[in-house]
Amino acid sequence: MFRKKDEDHRERILRALQRPPEPVEVRAALKWRHLADPWRLWLRRSAAGVDLFNRWTESSEHVEMLGEDAYREQLVRLLSRAVPRDCAASGFGCTRRIDRSCREPEICSQNPPATAGEAVHREGPLPGGCDRYFGWWGGSSVLRVAFSAGDRHRAVHWDGRLWIDGLPIADDQTLDEYGRWLDDRFFVILAEGPPDHPAQTFTWDTPVSTIRSVVVHDADQGSTTVLTPTAEETWTNPTVVRNGAVLLIHPDQAGSAPDRTLPVP
């Protein structure tokens, strides 16, 4: 049975290779038919954007040639040098609407104003694009790309793994689905807390732990710190806030006093 399927597969490929190719203008029209004119203009300026568009919109062909692991590794490396408009032009969802591509490219494809680098959170439509992008992979798997203020750094989160500027982060931790940039330097994401914590609970209804650890990555220095709560620290929804030259770790989001203070080097 498998031999018959393999033979049919090879025969389909051979028949396709024997057919004359479509004219180049037809192939181009089919490939770029869903791309709005403002994004076409942007891709003329962005080689990384063209590469991302090709690899994302033709992902099945690339996976067939490279395999899933190599495809994922190469796409993450590419995203580590992409800019928000590259993601938007490639059809990713954005902060404004995660499940569909940009609907206002005439605005989002424009150059951002000089003050845009100060914004920690950007939600369109606005020149330069949003600060978060979402790519749907295989139905339920979501690729998330988060840009820091000024787009100096990129965090890519995909199937439980995290990369920042192309480097794997906290591979030994069970990470949450979402993280956030505090500014243009620090990225924060929660992780599963220690299983032996006295306040920790695991049930069938709540398969993830109720006590959380905190992962803080310093993108400028390329260093990662994993903060694990002590037996006296009940971190159910810990929050990190930057206050000048220190990071404050609050046990929850209810405005309680910080449990720890970390100096910013």
Side-chain angles (χ1 to χ4, degrees):
M1 178 179 178
F2 289 106
R3 183 182 300 173
K4 181 66 165 63
K5 289 178 62 177
D6 291 341
E7 290 174 354
D8 291 344
H9 180 69
R10 285 194 294 269
E11 288 179 5
R12 287 197 302 271
I13 293 175
L14 288 173
R15 287 196 300 269
L17 291 174
Q18 291 168 358
R19 292 194 297 267
E22 295 280 3
V24 64
E25 63 269 20
V26 174
R27 300 200 306 272
L30 288 171
K31 181 173 183 175
W32 306 98
R33 63 187 181 277
H34 299 305
L35 192 64
D37 286 341
W39 292 131
R40 292 173 187 248
L41 294 173
W42 166 250
L43 291 182
R44 291 176 186 173
R45 301 159 52 190
S46 174
V50 173
D51 198 359
L52 180 60
F53 179 92
N54 287 329
R55 288 177 180 270
W56 185 248
T57 59
E58 299 173 353
S59 59
S60 57
E61 289 88 343
H62 282 84
V63 170
E64 179 70 19
M65 181 181 70
L66 302 171
E68 279 203 19
D69 291 343
Y71 172 78
R72 184 189 303 263
E73 180 182 340
Q74 291 182 15
L75 190 70
V76 168
R77 286 206 303 265
L78 176 57
L79 285 166
S80 72
R81 56 187 174 87
V83 298
R85 284 179 283 182
D86 295 333
C87 295
S90 298
F92 284 60
C94 63
T95 310
R96 186 185 187 201
R97 181 72 182 265
I98 69 173
D99 61 341
R100 70 182 190 191
S101 58
C102 178
R103 291 297 193 268
E104 300 189 61
E106 66 280 355
I107 297 174
C108 298
S109 64
Q110 297 176 16
N111 291 331
T115 56
E118 303 170 4
V120 177
H121 177 72
R122 302 190 312 274
E123 184 171 342
L126 77 174
C130 295
D131 64 351
R132 282 182 178 268
Y133 289 86
F134 303 80
W136 299 87
W137 172 262
S140 58
S141 175
V142 185
L143 185 159
R144 299 176 174 87
V145 187
F147 292 88
S148 70
D151 303 331
R152 291 206 306 131
H153 303 288
R154 299 119 178 88
V156 178
H157 197 193
W158 197 359
D159 283 348
R161 295 190 63 195
L162 175 67
W163 297 263
I164 295 181
D165 296 338
L167 300 176
I169 304 299
D171 267 354
D172 58 341
Q173 301 293 316
T174 302
L175 302 173
D176 279 9
E177 292 185 356
Y178 284 91
R180 67 186 181 95
W181 288 100
L182 298 182
D183 48 23
D184 63 348
R185 178 176 174 182
F186 291 100
F187 186 83
V188 175
I189 189 169
L190 301 187
E192 190 174 279
D196 58 349
H197 192 283
Q200 187 70 277
T201 59
F202 295 88
T203 69
W204 290 110
D205 295 329
T206 56
V208 297
S209 62
T210 55
I211 298 298
R212 319 299 287 151
S213 295
V214 179
V215 177
V216 180
H217 181 75
D218 183 341
D220 280 5
Q221 297 196 355
S223 60
T224 304
T225 302
V226 179
L227 304 172
T228 303
T230 65
E232 292 74 31
E233 295 172 329
T234 307
W235 292 357
T236 55
N237 192 13
T239 305
V240 181
V241 177
R242 181 168 183 177
N243 184 8
V246 296
L247 299 180
L248 306 176
I249 293 82
H250 298 264
D252 53 43
Q253 294 182 331
S256 54
D259 277 347
R260 299 192 200 178
T261 300
L262 295 179
V264 174

